[in-house]
Amino acid sequence: MKEWTKEIEIDAPIEKIWALFDGSLENMQKIMPQVVSQTPVKVTEEGVGSIYRQQYKEGKRVEEYDVETLVYLDTPDHKKMKVGFNLANYFEITSGYELTKINEHQSRFKYTTTNKPLKAIFKLFLWFASDKTVVKFVEKVKEVAEKDHALVK
């Protein structure tokens, strides 16, 4: 299993950033444009245990998988969500999104993802995997949140 973590400060209120993860499909697509649909399968009151069927477009192919909420916390100063899914029976993936309020207009965003190969042959892929995708994602979240925040100022 391989894990990557990246943190960044974002000049936007915590609620604005949180809406990109815990809001509408339209908001999610601003930071994850490859997600083409997200349909609730099971929704729990506390968030943990909720399952969404997600479709993800990679090139011309569309993958479908169930995303389960493993951790969920939503307070005014601290927000956290961790989801897990199985990608095509090749990898077990988790993604964690954590926000900490710095002040009314700034937040700290921490993204952690793990990738566990389910077949021995795929372990080789992880040897050469870099954090490029994680860095790009964190920068995308910052860019979108700050742009959205600037539009409402």
Side-chain angles (χ1 to χ4, degrees):
M1 181 169 76
K2 197 152 185 179
E3 180 177 292
W4 298 269
T5 299
K6 202 75 183 156
E7 286 187 53
I8 197 165
E9 277 189 21
I10 300 176
D11 293 323
I14 193 169
E15 293 296 338
K16 287 279 182 198
I17 306 164
W18 187 239
L20 297 171
F21 300 97
D22 195 34
S24 67
L25 174 63
E26 182 184 346
N27 278 351
M28 182 187 290
Q29 287 174 327
K30 291 177 183 178
I31 56 171
M32 299 179 223
Q34 302 91 337
V35 174
V36 293
S37 77
Q38 178 160 293
T39 309
V41 173
K42 172 184 159 190
V43 179
T44 65
E45 201 173 299
E46 61 279 352
V48 174
S50 293
I51 298 171
Y52 293 86
R53 180 140 312 127
Q54 206 173 74
Q55 289 185 323
Y56 183 92
K57 190 171 184 177
E58 189 64 51
K60 292 182 180 182
R61 233 173 20 149
V62 175
E63 293 284 341
E64 184 174 272
Y65 44 84
D66 288 347
V67 178
E68 181 177 2
T69 304
L70 307 170
V71 173
Y72 187 86
L73 172 72
D74 184 0
T75 67
D77 295 338
H78 190 214
K79 300 178 184 302
K80 188 174 188 174
M81 183 186 322
K82 181 177 181 180
V83 298
F85 58 96
N86 181 309
L87 184 61
N89 288 321
Y90 296 141
F91 296 98
E92 192 175 282
I93 298 171
T94 66
S95 295
Y97 316 103
E98 187 169 1
L99 290 164
T100 306
K101 181 178 180 177
I102 296 171
N103 59 46
E104 295 303 316
H105 304 287
Q106 286 185 309
S107 308
R108 175 162 281 295
F109 172 55
K110 180 179 178 182
Y111 175 58
T112 302
T113 187
T114 63
N115 197 322
K116 177 182 172 188
L118 299 176
K119 296 178 181 167
I121 188 145
F122 296 112
K123 287 182 182 180
L124 289 172
F125 287 108
L126 290 184
W127 276 91
F128 302 105
S130 74
D131 69 348
K132 186 170 93 174
T133 304
V134 173
V135 170
K136 206 166 140 183
F137 178 71
V138 168
E139 289 171 351
K140 175 81 169 177
V141 171
K142 178 179 173 69
E143 175 191 324
V144 169
E146 288 179 351
K147 181 180 166 200
D148 283 359
H149 180 56
L151 292 175
V152 294
K153 277 186 178 178

